[in-house]
Amino acid sequence: MTRTGDNRARLIALYTTMCRIRAFEETALAAHKAGEIPGPLHVSIGQEAVAAGICLNLRRDDRITSNHRGHGHALAKGAGVSGMMEELFGRAGGHCRGKGGSMHIADFSVGMLGANGVVAGGIPIAVGAAQGLKMLGSDAIVACFFGDGAINRGPFLEGLNWAALYRLPVLFVCEDNGVAAFTATASVTAGPGVAARAESLGVPCLSVDGNNAAAVDAAASRLVAEIRGGAGPQLLHATTYRITGHTSSDPAAWRDPADVEAARAAEPIGRLRARLTEEGVSLAELDSIRGEAMAEMSAAREAALTAPWPDPAVAWEDVQDVGAVQGAA
């Protein structure tokens, strides 16, 4: 391929991943509304460029950790769609056998160490995984996704401190959508924010437009190469916007409609679609990619609806048992 052709192929790969993430979450929201999925969903509609841009630069043996909004991260890393959808539906074929649900999907086969319902909970897991990789002499790295609300939690300080101290191969990725659940993050964050905090701990920080998939890809390409080469941890601060509410049950009436409208106009899939048409990709090809993604997720939903439920006996499996208390009668 020519250099232009290589670039176009990479942009199409980003677009395809983003469309699959969007289609998965739109399908899951429809299933939740229809009463097919128990419990709330935390979707990342509007944030797809971050997951796609980072994971395009990772190898299969690289690891990732996620947060409670992790569908996109798992899909971008290569987790199987059927296993993800069945996990949301609580079915036996889910990646966690239907016991983890939306907020706790993991697929070790592709290095997805797990989504996490605890804010900042994935940070120390990522650091521990990176410590292990370094001890094994591997050049694999860990990408750790978290939101801006996590920077006000203890594990952020502890995790970055440990990673910097031992020069661990971690790419910390802050998906800064400006909101921690229902609260504007700026209103509860002292000081200049995530970049200053990271750098004060010796972790270099690079900021990027998180709605520009090509920019995220370029930044991740550089940082991943540096980390893999032994440079130690880095933090990528990606500014983005979550178009939907905090959960599938939140209509987000607390948001300024003008802000939401502006965000929709600048959302990452539409921006990349415009870029691709400038690169000479036809609208028909782009529509086909979107259509294939929707068909894939619709088929996964239908399959999950008829998939078997877990045997009740498995509720007692995967549970740590440290034995009886010593001296107990």
Side-chain angles (χ1 to χ4, degrees):
M1 281 186 180
T2 64
R3 186 178 182 85
T4 300
D6 287 335
N7 182 60
R8 184 182 302 167
R10 196 166 184 88
L11 292 177
I12 289 175
L14 288 167
Y15 183 79
T16 300
T17 297
M18 291 162 65
C19 284
R20 292 181 72 239
I21 295 171
R22 180 74 60 91
F24 181 91
E25 296 201 313
E26 288 178 343
T27 301
L29 284 175
H32 179 269
K33 186 175 181 180
E36 299 165 4
I37 293 177
L41 302 176
H42 297 76
V43 298
S44 59
I45 292 175
Q47 300 181 193
E48 297 89 351
V50 182
I54 297 295
C55 291
L56 185 60
N57 292 279
L58 300 179
R59 303 186 318 218
R60 187 180 180 90
D61 64 333
D62 290 329
R63 277 66 158 177
I64 68 169
T65 63
S66 182
N67 56 7
H68 54 286
R69 207 174 300 282
H71 307 143
H73 307 142
L75 282 168
K77 191 61 173 67
V81 169
S82 60
M84 286 187 60
M85 194 67 78
E86 289 191 33
E87 189 61 37
L88 265 60
F89 277 68
R91 305 304 172 112
H95 283 304
C96 298
R97 301 200 290 171
K99 298 195 288 184
S102 172
M103 287 194 289
H104 300 97
I105 291 176
D107 184 356
F108 289 2
S109 71
V110 296
M112 169 44 164
L113 301 185
N116 201 309
V118 178
V119 175
I123 295 176
I125 295 172
V127 171
Q131 184 95 64
L133 289 170
K134 185 169 184 177
M135 292 173 69
L136 290 170
S138 170
D139 71 341
I141 75 164
V142 184
C144 173
F145 294 92
F146 53 91
D148 41 304
I151 72 169
N152 291 326
R153 305 279 295 184
F156 176 83
L157 168 65
E158 296 168 3
L160 268 68
N161 181 70
W162 191 268
L165 185 63
Y166 291 100
R167 296 180 62 81
L168 299 181
V170 188
L171 174 59
F172 296 104
V173 183
C174 179
E175 294 179 291
D176 188 347
N177 60 31
V179 180
F182 310 97
T183 304
T185 308
S187 69
V188 292
T189 302
V194 60
R197 292 188 182 184
E199 289 169 354
S200 74
L201 293 166
V203 178
C205 179
L206 175 66
S207 293
V208 68
D209 179 355
N211 280 0
N212 183 332
V216 176
D217 175 31
S221 176
R222 172 191 145 193
L223 297 183
V224 166
E226 291 179 0
I227 294 167
R228 205 181 299 283
Q234 308 243 16
L235 190 147
L236 183 65
H237 175 220
T239 53
T240 182
Y241 191 92
R242 171 168 41 84
I243 293 173
T244 56
H246 176 55
T247 71
S248 50
S249 302
D250 172 26
W254 45 274
R255 280 191 156 153
D256 185 337
D259 291 343
V260 177
E261 191 62 28
R264 289 188 182 280
E267 62 89 20
I269 295 179
R271 286 178 64 176
L272 186 53
R273 182 182 175 92
R275 168 80 179 272
L276 282 165
T277 59
E278 293 174 0
E279 295 275 345
V281 181
S282 70
L283 291 177
E285 181 177 350
L286 297 175
D287 288 343
S288 176
I289 291 171
R290 170 68 173 166
E292 289 175 7
M294 289 301 297
E296 177 189 16
M297 303 312 167
S298 179
R301 175 186 178 183
E302 292 304 314
L305 276 170
T306 58
W309 295 99
D311 186 317
V314 305
W316 301 103
E317 298 177 6
D318 307 312
V319 178
Q320 183 178 6
D321 180 5
V322 296
V325 177
Q326 293 297 317

